[in-house]
Each structure stands twice: as C-alpha cells, then as structure tokens.
Amino acid sequence: MGWKVDELHKLLNPSSVVVVGASRKPGKVGHSIFKNLLESKVRVYPVNSQAEEVLGVKCYPSVLNLPEVPDLAVIVVPRLSVPQVMEDCGKKGIKYAVIITAGFKEIGEKGAWLEEEVVEVAKRYGIRFIGPNCLGVINAVAGINASFAPEPPLPGKIAFISQSGALATSILDWSVEQGVGFSKFISIGNKADVDEVDLLKELKDDPDTGVILLYIESITRGPEFIETAYEVSKTKPIIVLRLGTSEAGARAVSSHTGSLAGSEAAYSSAFKQSNVIRVGSVEELFDLAMAFATQPLPSLEKGVAIVTNAGGPGIAATDACSKLGLELASFSSATVDRLRQRLPKKVQVRNPLDLIGDAEAERYRSAFEELIEDESVGGLLVILTPQDVTEPEKTATYLAEVAKRGGKPVVACWMGGKMVREGIEILKKHGIPNYATPERAAYSLYGLYLYARLRQKAVGKTRKPPEIEIDEESIRKIIQLVRSVGRQNLLETEAIEILRACGIPTPRGGLAHDLDEAMKIAEEIRYPLVMKLVSPQIVHKSDIGAVRVGIESPREVEDAFAILKWRTEAYAPFAEVIGVLVQEMVMGGKEVVAGMYRDPCFGPVIMFGLGGIYIEAVRDVSFRVAPLTREDAEEMVREIKMYKILRGFRGEPPSDISSIVDVLLRLSTLSTRFAEILEIDINPLIVLPEGRGCVAVDARMRLSPE
Ligand code: ADP
Ligand code: MG
C-alpha cells in the first residue's frame, strides 16, 4: 500500500529525549514532563537557559549544546520561542518533536500564523512533530512518559489517540482505576503535522497494539483517513468517538481546536466507508475497548448465550441484543439434555438461561461448562445479582476458569455495589470485562460481532473505485461556455448535457426558442411530452408553473408554449428567457434524487434519496464520500427507507437498482475529476422497472467562482 513503515517509530520509541523548557518549579508543565521522563526508560536532557540543573540533572542552555543528538525533543517553551527552538532542533539534526506549548491555531488568527511558521521550519529540516497544544505522548509498554499526565497508564493493548488533551487526562485517570492498560497514549492537539492518519499507519503493525481508540473532533485529510482506516481495520479494530455533531457542539469544537468541523453527514459516511466502529459516548468507547482488549472475536454464525440469576436483567439483556441485531443461540439438544441433568428441575433450560435467585456458584458453573462447549454458542453474557445464597466471588472464579478454555468472548454484569465488588475484582484480574448494566454488556458483545463482520467483509479486498469513462472534453467545453458568460449556475439544458457526457441516461429532447422549433422537436420525439421553461433566474420551475407535463398533441404543444410564456411574464417578469425545453415524458418509474456537494474536509460527498416534493419533509437520504466503490454505491441505495419500495412492494415490479448504482458511480467520477463543480442535483432521477434503467429528467449544477 506504500506505507512508509517505521517512519514515526522513533517518535513513539525514543531512546533519548531532550525537554526544551524543562523547569525547576514543581507544578509547571515543563517540570512535570521532565520528571516523568526522568522516571522513564530513556536518557533525558533538560534544556533551560536560566538553570544550572533540573532535578539534579545538568542543564544545557540550548539543544545545540547537547552531547548527543536525541531521538526526540519535547518542547514546552513560551509560544513565541517555539519556531526558534524548532530551528535549533533542525540544526542539531533532531528528527522528531512533541510541541506541548499552546497558543497556536486554537486561539484563532493570532496563533495561526505562528503555527504556520513552525510547520515551515519543520518542513525545512524534515522534522516530524506532534502538537502543538497537546498533552504529550506515552509509550506505556516501553515505559516512556513524554507527557505531563500526572499518573502514567498501565501497560496494555489499547492505543489511544486523542484530539482533546482534557479528555485524555480524564481517561487516563479512569483507566488506572479500572485496571485498563494502554500501549500508546497520544494526544495530538492541533495536529499541525502528525495526524490520526499518520498514527494509524504507524500503529497498524505495532505488535503492542491490539485495538485503536480514536477521539476525534475534525478530520482534515478525509479521503486518506478512509483509505488508511479501512486498511488498518483489516487487522485491528478502530473505535472512533466524534462528538460535536449538534449545531452547538460543532461550534464548541471549532472554537476549541481552530479546525473547521466538517458536516455530520460526511463524517458518518466516512466512518462507514472506513470500516471503523463508531461509538456515541466516552462510556461506549471504553466499554468496547475493554472487550476488544481482553476477548477473542466470536464466530459470526454463532449466537449469544445469556446466563442470569434474575429474570428482569435477563430480559433487559435479551432486549438489548435484539435491538442491536445480535441473535441468541439456540442450544443443541445434547446441551439441553446435559443442562437438564445438572440443573435443578425448576430451572427452565432455554436462552436466556435463568438459573433463578437461589443459584449458587456451582449451578452457574454447570451452565458455564455446558454453554462454552456448545457449538451454537458464539459468546457468553453472564449476569449476577447479589441475593441470599449468591456467591459473587466463587462464581467469578468459575467463569474465569471456563472462559480460559473456550476461545469465545465472555462478558459479565455483576450488578450492584459493595456485595459484588470483590467478585468484579476477580473478573478484572482474569481479564473478563464487567459492565454495570446488562445493556452495556450486550453492547460490548455487539461490538465484537460487528468488528468480526466488518473484517470478514473486507478481507482480501481494497477500496477500489471502478474505472469509468466519461467524456471530459465535452464537459470541459460546457463549463468553459458557462464561465465565458459569467454564470455560476448551469441551465437545466447544460447540466443535462454534462450528465449525458458522463454516460448518465437523459430524456430525448431539445431547447426551442420559438413555437416552430418546439413543434419540430415534438415531431422528432414521441408523445407524451414535457415542456419547461429554461431561464437562469428560475431555479424551481414548478413553483411558478413553468413545467407542463403530459402533452399529447401538437395542439397541446401550442397551448403549453403560450401558457409558459404567460406564466413567466406574470410571475417572473425579471427572468431572462432562454427558451423552452421540450422533453420526452418518462413514464412508469419512481422518482429518486441523486446529487453531490463538497465538504470542506472530505471533498465531494454523493447523496442519494427519495425524490419528489417530500424530500425536505422526509429526508430519506444517504451519503458517501467520493470516490465511491461499487459497494459504497450499493449500500447507499440499500440504506434509505424507500429501498423496500424500490425492491418491489405489493406486487409492483422491482426498480432497476443497478442503474441507480451506475449513476452514483458516474456522479462520483464526475465530481472527483471536475473540482470546479461545487454542487450537483438530479431531481428527479426517474427509475424504471428492472432492465429498463433510469433517466435524469431534471438537473442543476453550480460551479465554483473562477
Ligand atoms: P423543477 O424541479 O424545477 O420544478 P422539474 O424539471 O423537476 O422542475 O419538473 C417538475 C416535476 O415534473 C418533476 O419532479 C417530475 O415529476 C416531472 N417531470 C419533469 N420532467 C419530466 C420528464 N421528462 N418526464 C417525466 N416527468 C417529468
Ligand atoms: Mg426538479
């Protein structure tokens, strides 16, 4: 794939580090970082022109005076000094830096220029850097803490990349208490250079990392993110949390990082296209992280077994599974027989398996042993509520024993407080994730199944948009013509011509400047016809009655011509009339819409949805970031609610879905090749029954200003 393997390896695995701005004063960031590094497994040098030594280590006035070229510079100097320090690092030959200092792009224009300055110096010397405005970098497995986090995380299999430093600190705090360990912990701040795409590539082959968590506010390299995440997801799950999706949230994000938050539609599409698992809260992020870090993946064709000692929570787990689309296993008859023998008569052997309130550890154990061996069971969800005879600790020990032999994911829900605390500790110690509620336990199993499915789907595949021929020459000519008269909006006739040049079916027809021409065109195509006004000022033609459909005869052509003329004079006297479009009327199809807009981070985004006048009210639409693969386009069609209707509803013939997929792919090609087209709107695209294709009967396009 052309990854630059190991490019950032030394950044995350330095042997020697210099802290520029190391401070003697406890409580200062430059002090904490130096102290953390002093306690790390690296050689560390303090640079501070005002100090002789920091924490007993000899200080240097500048990186230029260091006795060796360290692998990494951690920079915590005042903001205006950062470019100079980077310059010194460059001269010294230092290749990697982490810039902790804040006061750059995140504070607006006052800081943006400084950030550009830093980037310029870094480029000149070939320095790769993280930050500015970040918490730092921790390699917990190697025992290196180049951050000012007060407490380093435990070592473990989770890599965490965070765009927010504050969130990162609270997560660190949480993780230590939960006993959750990390491989790498990276706060990327303003990501002026190294971003999540670079780090995903780096972590792809990191043997210490089993799962990657990403807290993201904005993505700047949209298409690269999709491609990279898709590749990395084949070997490691990527769990993404992106907040700031509501209006107010979006504003908070942009004032926070100074980056332009792209629209939610583009983000949610991109996450689907990149095969990442998107969660909606910090809680879900960690629930899944715990499951992925400790549990094997389930076999997809096998279901979930739920074991409980209380009916209510068992039902809650069952409902949660069903909402998430997780199937419950139906136990094999051999399992059922053995369970009947081993369990008391009053226990009904079924899934969810309710062992009843008086279940002691032995009863649970019988269930665990039988279910983990059952061929139909893909994973176990075990619930325990503390009742009279319940043995939370012993049950936990049994579950841990059984989980070890199964090769199947096991998640637990020891519900309660003090009475189950010891039991939960035992589960934790044996790497069985425990969740406070049955719903959360179910969600984490769902995450494992989801990833198993995404991975299976992607195996051996690459995201490859199909090669599509379009007549670029003709398209360019039309665009030039429109520009030459100083317009940005294309006329319907021009837009339709571009679609035709893309190989998208359009109706037969032509532009008439007077009634005679209209008659002539009408003769060439068969009735019924549609006639519409063509004017650069009239965007929604039917709003002023400037579309006449169902024209059956020359007589009606004449009438329609007169009506259109009259309507325009009455309702749009300002409009410059180019002529009347006489079109073949497409009958017997369904109206859908297809289009494109440009997202500031992701570039062209293709849209598909239910057409007609209800589009705004119903908003039954789907989006994908271009370039689309065939699978993307197929998913777009399947995703809308109207899909059921397109597939053929109540005896109606199914619509020609593959022709829609083709149109979407052609729109994708057009919009990736012609950056000057800002927006496309085909409304309606009329889809005919299977085998008969579809026709774009109305189109709008807008060009960028020259
Ligand atoms: P506008 O969107 O500017 O009002 P359209 O060209 O989309 O104008 O026409 C309005 C409606 O008329 C369409 O949504 C469609 O239902 C119908 N229509 C327009 N052109 C045709 C055509 N060639 N064949 C069938 N129906 C058409
Ligand atoms: Mg229309």
Side-chain angles (χ1 to χ4, degrees), residues 98-169:
V98 174
I99 305 174
I100 306 286
T101 310
F104 291 84
K105 202 171 153 202
E106 80 280 6
I107 62 164
E109 251 172 68
K110 281 189 307 205
W113 68 271
L114 195 62
E115 192 160 310
E116 276 160 35
E117 190 102 355
V118 171
V119 170
E120 190 275 315
V121 179
K123 281 217 177 101
R124 192 145 37 81
Y125 288 101
I127 304 173
R128 300 298 316 266
F129 70 96
I130 285 185
N133 181 30
C134 74
L135 187 74
V137 171
I138 304 171
N139 182 336
V141 174
I144 303 169
N145 182 358
S147 82
F148 59 93
E151 195 173 0
L154 306 167
K157 281 167 66 177
I158 305 171
F160 183 59
I161 303 170
S162 178
Q163 200 175 344
S164 153
L167 184 83
T169 351

Side-chain angles (χ1 to χ4, degrees), residues 499-521:
L499 294 183
R500 195 173 296 148
C502 290
I504 293 175
T506 54
R508 299 202 296 154
L511 182 67
H513 299 89
D514 54 33
L515 182 58
D516 279 354
E517 276 185 23
M519 288 296 193
K520 214 175 281 153
I521 297 166

Side-chain angles (χ1 to χ4, degrees), residues 238-250:
I238 302 173
I239 309 173
V240 178
L241 175 62
R242 175 175 185 265
L243 300 174
T245 51
S246 68
E247 266 304 300

Side-chain angles (χ1 to χ4, degrees), residues 524-545:
E524 285 161 20
I525 46 184
R526 61 174 182 280
Y527 290 98
L529 301 172
V530 175
M531 287 168 66
K532 10 183 160 171
L533 192 78
V534 179
S535 160
Q537 284 83 32
I538 298 173
V539 187
H540 299 283
K541 299 173 294 289
S542 18
D543 285 359
I544 61 154

